Amino acid sequence: MSKIVKGTMLLTGATFLSKFLGMVYLIPFEAMVGDTGGTLYGFAYIPYTIFISISTLGVPLAVSKFVSKYNSLGDYETSRKILKSGMQLMALTGLVAFLLMFFGAESLAKMSIRQDDEEISLASVTNVIQMVSFALLLIPSMSIVRGFFQGHESMAPTAVSQVVEQVARIAFLLIAVFIVVEIFDGPIEVAVGFATFAAFIGALASGLVLYIYWRKRKPYLDRHLEQQDYSYDIPQKKMFKELLGYAGPFVLVGIAIPLYQFIDNLTFMDAMYVAGQGDLANTAYAAIIVYGHKLVVIPMTLATGLSLSMLPAVTASFTEKKTQLMHKQINQVFQIVVLLILPAVVGLAVLSGEAYGALYGIEGIEVKGPWLAWYAPASLLFGLFSVSAAVLQGINQQNFTVISLTAGLIIKTSLNIPLILVFGAKGSIFATLLAVATAVLLNMWRVKKKAAFPMGPLFKRSLLVIIFTAIMAIVLFILKFLFSFVLDPTSSRLDAMIVLITGVTAGGGIYLWLAYQSTLLERVLGGKVRVLDRFLKRKQV
């Protein structure tokens, strides 16, 4: 496989594992705190995610691009300077973000809940927001180191630290919630408060991993400095100006999904009550925006890994004016997104009821399953937005991301309440899909125009993926029909689990076999997939 794909797969694998763990822990978490606890958790975590992105100013990913650029020019000293200066800046912005979120917690809480909500109090939401805010003291500075390593096309530090961070966070979260709820029979709001504070524990663990990597690799990085012949000797003011020029749009990319969710925080509850579905408000919020969203983002983590790992390579090709190579890299990345995410989205939509019922329980599955099915396409759209935005960064068109995301947010804001009033909870999903689709189309148009990117090869490969995905979907529908004679996933969690596992195994296996036999996998990934070569044999023509 090519170097970009190897780096992609490493970071994507780690991101996928991290997101997968982030979904799995919700199974026992939901069992202990229910929909009310999930809604309370979402009220705190969504603003926290926005504060994280604002406090980092998009600098970590911008550092990746900055370091890649100056490394390709042989100026490693400037790369090292930006690491030091960036960490100092992030320490300051992290502190400011913590103070704003901690002392502004009550104001944020008032934005999210209704004053007459009998299940969730203002004090409870305020408390969990304050508990999660402590992580802001660590994560901004820590993320700079990740960006520095990625700029050197070294993905292992980011990959390992992500997984360790998630494992430490989840372990603390589940133990704390179990002690509060199961042992001391404490209130849900206290348990959720400890659950959000777990972000701080995870950040500590991740920071330790990155420190170990830095100590180990510093001698190698120092040798680059010793062998350097020329330095641009950029003044710090000019360096920050260039860095923040890259970074600005990264802020918007980083908070794209949380912003769409935050619009729901501001409007969802009131709109549901006006629509006459107030009794479903907390259940729908938890099922769609907290629990369902965790399932939806798992496929799109493939795109997240791609957008992070492809940026240094595309930036280098653009800087060195290697247009043909740049086109090949961009085309390969978009093809991988379609190849891997589209079948996952369709599979999740077909097996939505079984997936939700098996993981979170069958209570209310008759409405929660369809909600998840409608929400599943958001995974592909979020993934395409992430990757297209990263491409725009790589070709120095990052400012356009501001326009595309703004257009999406305007659509989400203007349509969210009207669509909820017409379609109920699904209206929020429809508003999100329309908003993100608009942003994606704008980004793709800009990539095509400014990079002279040919869309033909992408469309041809995508058509083949669509055909294979359609075959997979037919198989899944047949399996569900046959299982319906002996199993009832709507009334038994075990039945839902059996159908889900069988469907994922059969559907995924058939799609993988078709993609392998047609050579689609190796053509998209840029080389033979040796793991599959051991199990599958392609017919020789």
Side-chain angles (χ1 to χ4, degrees), residues 235-252:
Q236 188 177 58
K237 183 178 179 180
K238 185 178 179 181
M239 186 166 58
F240 271 128
K241 183 179 180 180
E242 180 179 354
L243 181 68
L244 294 176
Y246 295 153
F250 275 118
V251 179
L252 295 178

PDB file of all heavy atoms in Angstrom, residues 235-252:
ATOM      1  N   PRO A 235       9.764  35.625  11.859  1.00  0.00           N
ATOM      2  CA  PRO A 235       9.440  36.252  13.156  1.00  0.00           C
ATOM      3  C   PRO A 235       8.163  35.624  13.734  1.00  0.00           C
ATOM      4  O   PRO A 235       7.280  35.192  12.987  1.00  0.00           O
ATOM      5  CB  PRO A 235       9.213  37.724  12.799  1.00  0.00           C
ATOM      6  CG  PRO A 235       9.918  37.912  11.491  1.00  0.00           C
ATOM      7  CD  PRO A 235       9.816  36.605  10.776  1.00  0.00           C
ATOM      8  N   GLN A 236       8.083  35.606  15.059  1.00  0.00           N
ATOM      9  CA  GLN A 236       6.944  34.949  15.689  1.00  0.00           C
ATOM     10  C   GLN A 236       5.615  35.563  15.259  1.00  0.00           C
ATOM     11  O   GLN A 236       4.628  34.844  15.030  1.00  0.00           O
ATOM     12  CB  GLN A 236       7.072  35.015  17.210  1.00  0.00           C
ATOM     13  CG  GLN A 236       6.016  34.180  17.936  1.00  0.00           C
ATOM     14  CD  GLN A 236       6.204  34.211  19.432  1.00  0.00           C
ATOM     15  OE1 GLN A 236       6.200  35.278  20.042  1.00  0.00           O
ATOM     16  NE2 GLN A 236       6.367  33.045  20.041  1.00  0.00           N
ATOM     17  N   LYS A 237       5.565  36.869  15.114  1.00  0.00           N
ATOM     18  CA  LYS A 237       4.325  37.531  14.709  1.00  0.00           C
ATOM     19  C   LYS A 237       3.880  37.052  13.343  1.00  0.00           C
ATOM     20  O   LYS A 237       2.703  36.725  13.122  1.00  0.00           O
ATOM     21  CB  LYS A 237       4.525  39.049  14.709  1.00  0.00           C
ATOM     22  CG  LYS A 237       3.259  39.818  14.368  1.00  0.00           C
ATOM     23  CD  LYS A 237       3.523  41.321  14.447  1.00  0.00           C
ATOM     24  CE  LYS A 237       2.242  42.104  14.087  1.00  0.00           C
ATOM     25  NZ  LYS A 237       2.477  43.573  14.145  1.00  0.00           N
ATOM     26  N   LYS A 238       4.811  36.981  12.404  1.00  0.00           N
ATOM     27  CA  LYS A 238       4.481  36.528  11.050  1.00  0.00           C
ATOM     28  C   LYS A 238       4.113  35.048  11.052  1.00  0.00           C
ATOM     29  O   LYS A 238       3.224  34.607  10.314  1.00  0.00           O
ATOM     30  CB  LYS A 238       5.670  36.778  10.119  1.00  0.00           C
ATOM     31  CG  LYS A 238       5.385  36.443   8.661  1.00  0.00           C
ATOM     32  CD  LYS A 238       6.583  36.755   7.782  1.00  0.00           C
ATOM     33  CE  LYS A 238       6.284  36.388   6.333  1.00  0.00           C
ATOM     34  NZ  LYS A 238       7.466  36.655   5.444  1.00  0.00           N
ATOM     35  N   MET A 239       4.802  34.289  11.900  1.00  0.00           N
ATOM     36  CA  MET A 239       4.544  32.860  11.996  1.00  0.00           C
ATOM     37  C   MET A 239       3.124  32.605  12.497  1.00  0.00           C
ATOM     38  O   MET A 239       2.389  31.773  11.953  1.00  0.00           O
ATOM     39  CB  MET A 239       5.570  32.213  12.937  1.00  0.00           C
ATOM     40  CG  MET A 239       5.508  30.695  13.017  1.00  0.00           C
ATOM     41  SD  MET A 239       7.005  30.027  13.807  1.00  0.00           S
ATOM     42  CE  MET A 239       6.964  30.868  15.394  1.00  0.00           C
ATOM     43  N   PHE A 240       2.728  33.349  13.521  1.00  0.00           N
ATOM     44  CA  PHE A 240       1.371  33.202  14.046  1.00  0.00           C
ATOM     45  C   PHE A 240       0.333  33.663  13.028  1.00  0.00           C
ATOM     46  O   PHE A 240      -0.754  33.091  12.936  1.00  0.00           O
ATOM     47  CB  PHE A 240       1.203  33.988  15.348  1.00  0.00           C
ATOM     48  CG  PHE A 240       1.549  33.203  16.571  1.00  0.00           C
ATOM     49  CD1 PHE A 240       2.443  33.690  17.513  1.00  0.00           C
ATOM     50  CD2 PHE A 240       0.976  31.954  16.790  1.00  0.00           C
ATOM     51  CE1 PHE A 240       2.765  32.959  18.636  1.00  0.00           C
ATOM     52  CE2 PHE A 240       1.287  31.217  17.920  1.00  0.00           C
ATOM     53  CZ  PHE A 240       2.184  31.720  18.843  1.00  0.00           C
ATOM     54  N   LYS A 241       0.662  34.689  12.280  1.00  0.00           N
ATOM     55  CA  LYS A 241      -0.268  35.182  11.266  1.00  0.00           C
ATOM     56  C   LYS A 241      -0.529  34.117  10.210  1.00  0.00           C
ATOM     57  O   LYS A 241      -1.672  33.876   9.812  1.00  0.00           O
ATOM     58  CB  LYS A 241       0.290  36.448  10.618  1.00  0.00           C
ATOM     59  CG  LYS A 241      -0.656  37.075   9.606  1.00  0.00           C
ATOM     60  CD  LYS A 241      -0.059  38.356   9.016  1.00  0.00           C
ATOM     61  CE  LYS A 241      -1.024  38.973   7.997  1.00  0.00           C
ATOM     62  NZ  LYS A 241      -0.457  40.224   7.402  1.00  0.00           N
ATOM     63  N   GLU A 242       0.533  33.468   9.765  1.00  0.00           N
ATOM     64  CA  GLU A 242       0.379  32.397   8.776  1.00  0.00           C
ATOM     65  C   GLU A 242      -0.373  31.214   9.381  1.00  0.00           C
ATOM     66  O   GLU A 242      -1.284  30.643   8.760  1.00  0.00           O
ATOM     67  CB  GLU A 242       1.742  31.932   8.267  1.00  0.00           C
ATOM     68  CG  GLU A 242       1.643  30.816   7.231  1.00  0.00           C
ATOM     69  CD  GLU A 242       3.005  30.369   6.708  1.00  0.00           C
ATOM     70  OE1 GLU A 242       4.023  31.002   7.074  1.00  0.00           O
ATOM     71  OE2 GLU A 242       3.044  29.382   5.943  1.00  0.00           O
ATOM     72  N   LEU A 243      -0.003  30.857  10.610  1.00  0.00           N
ATOM     73  CA  LEU A 243      -0.628  29.707  11.267  1.00  0.00           C
ATOM     74  C   LEU A 243      -2.124  29.938  11.465  1.00  0.00           C
ATOM     75  O   LEU A 243      -2.939  29.067  11.155  1.00  0.00           O
ATOM     76  CB  LEU A 243       0.044  29.454  12.619  1.00  0.00           C
ATOM     77  CG  LEU A 243      -0.486  28.250  13.413  1.00  0.00           C
ATOM     78  CD1 LEU A 243      -0.123  26.960  12.708  1.00  0.00           C
ATOM     79  CD2 LEU A 243       0.078  28.264  14.826  1.00  0.00           C
ATOM     80  N   LEU A 244      -2.480  31.108  11.974  1.00  0.00           N
ATOM     81  CA  LEU A 244      -3.893  31.391  12.214  1.00  0.00           C
ATOM     82  C   LEU A 244      -4.658  31.553  10.913  1.00  0.00           C
ATOM     83  O   LEU A 244      -5.868  31.326  10.857  1.00  0.00           O
ATOM     84  CB  LEU A 244      -4.038  32.644  13.083  1.00  0.00           C
ATOM     85  CG  LEU A 244      -3.500  32.508  14.506  1.00  0.00           C
ATOM     86  CD1 LEU A 244      -3.606  33.833  15.255  1.00  0.00           C
ATOM     87  CD2 LEU A 244      -4.228  31.410  15.268  1.00  0.00           C
ATOM     88  N   GLY A 245      -3.945  31.932   9.856  1.00  0.00           N
ATOM     89  CA  GLY A 245      -4.579  31.975   8.542  1.00  0.00           C
ATOM     90  C   GLY A 245      -5.015  30.590   8.096  1.00  0.00           C
ATOM     91  O   GLY A 245      -6.075  30.408   7.495  1.00  0.00           O
ATOM     92  N   TYR A 246      -4.174  29.586   8.403  1.00  0.00           N
ATOM     93  CA  TYR A 246      -4.559  28.198   8.132  1.00  0.00           C
ATOM     94  C   TYR A 246      -5.658  27.753   9.098  1.00  0.00           C
ATOM     95  O   TYR A 246      -6.561  27.005   8.744  1.00  0.00           O
ATOM     96  CB  TYR A 246      -3.365  27.258   8.339  1.00  0.00           C
ATOM     97  CG  TYR A 246      -2.204  27.462   7.386  1.00  0.00           C
ATOM     98  CD1 TYR A 246      -0.906  27.126   7.779  1.00  0.00           C
ATOM     99  CD2 TYR A 246      -2.386  27.979   6.119  1.00  0.00           C
ATOM    100  CE1 TYR A 246       0.171  27.305   6.935  1.00  0.00           C
ATOM    101  CE2 TYR A 246      -1.308  28.160   5.257  1.00  0.00           C
ATOM    102  CZ  TYR A 246      -0.033  27.823   5.669  1.00  0.00           C
ATOM    103  OH  TYR A 246       1.025  27.982   4.827  1.00  0.00           O
ATOM    104  N   ALA A 247      -5.527  28.234  10.342  1.00  0.00           N
ATOM    105  CA  ALA A 247      -6.307  27.648  11.431  1.00  0.00           C
ATOM    106  C   ALA A 247      -7.765  28.066  11.454  1.00  0.00           C
ATOM    107  O   ALA A 247      -8.630  27.273  11.831  1.00  0.00           O
ATOM    108  CB  ALA A 247      -5.672  28.010  12.777  1.00  0.00           C
ATOM    109  N   GLY A 248      -8.039  29.323  11.062  1.00  0.00           N
ATOM    110  CA  GLY A 248      -9.396  29.835  11.190  1.00  0.00           C
ATOM    111  C   GLY A 248     -10.478  28.883  10.717  1.00  0.00           C
ATOM    112  O   GLY A 248     -11.384  28.514  11.476  1.00  0.00           O
ATOM    113  N   PRO A 249     -10.426  28.437   9.452  1.00  0.00           N
ATOM    114  CA  PRO A 249     -11.460  27.526   8.972  1.00  0.00           C
ATOM    115  C   PRO A 249     -11.455  26.181   9.686  1.00  0.00           C
ATOM    116  O   PRO A 249     -12.483  25.507   9.742  1.00  0.00           O
ATOM    117  CB  PRO A 249     -11.095  27.344   7.482  1.00  0.00           C
ATOM    118  CG  PRO A 249     -10.340  28.588   7.136  1.00  0.00           C
ATOM    119  CD  PRO A 249      -9.545  28.905   8.370  1.00  0.00           C
ATOM    120  N   PHE A 250     -10.305  25.760  10.221  1.00  0.00           N
ATOM    121  CA  PHE A 250     -10.263  24.493  10.953  1.00  0.00           C
ATOM    122  C   PHE A 250     -11.184  24.541  12.173  1.00  0.00           C
ATOM    123  O   PHE A 250     -11.716  23.516  12.596  1.00  0.00           O
ATOM    124  CB  PHE A 250      -8.843  24.180  11.425  1.00  0.00           C
ATOM    125  CG  PHE A 250      -7.999  23.483  10.401  1.00  0.00           C
ATOM    126  CD1 PHE A 250      -6.850  24.067   9.914  1.00  0.00           C
ATOM    127  CD2 PHE A 250      -8.351  22.233   9.923  1.00  0.00           C
ATOM    128  CE1 PHE A 250      -6.071  23.434   8.983  1.00  0.00           C
ATOM    129  CE2 PHE A 250      -7.574  21.580   8.991  1.00  0.00           C
ATOM    130  CZ  PHE A 250      -6.434  22.183   8.509  1.00  0.00           C
ATOM    131  N   VAL A 251     -11.348  25.736  12.755  1.00  0.00           N
ATOM    132  CA  VAL A 251     -12.249  25.868  13.901  1.00  0.00           C
ATOM    133  C   VAL A 251     -13.648  25.443  13.495  1.00  0.00           C
ATOM    134  O   VAL A 251     -14.323  24.671  14.182  1.00  0.00           O
ATOM    135  CB  VAL A 251     -12.264  27.319  14.421  1.00  0.00           C
ATOM    136  CG1 VAL A 251     -13.227  27.443  15.588  1.00  0.00           C
ATOM    137  CG2 VAL A 251     -10.877  27.757  14.832  1.00  0.00           C
ATOM    138  N   LEU A 252     -14.083  25.942  12.344  1.00  0.00           N
ATOM    139  CA  LEU A 252     -15.428  25.638  11.876  1.00  0.00           C
ATOM    140  C   LEU A 252     -15.580  24.169  11.519  1.00  0.00           C
ATOM    141  O   LEU A 252     -16.616  23.554  11.783  1.00  0.00           O
ATOM    142  CB  LEU A 252     -15.769  26.512  10.674  1.00  0.00           C
ATOM    143  CG  LEU A 252     -15.852  28.015  10.963  1.00  0.00           C
ATOM    144  CD1 LEU A 252     -16.149  28.785   9.692  1.00  0.00           C
ATOM    145  CD2 LEU A 252     -16.918  28.298  12.006  1.00  0.00           C
TER     146      LEU A 252
END
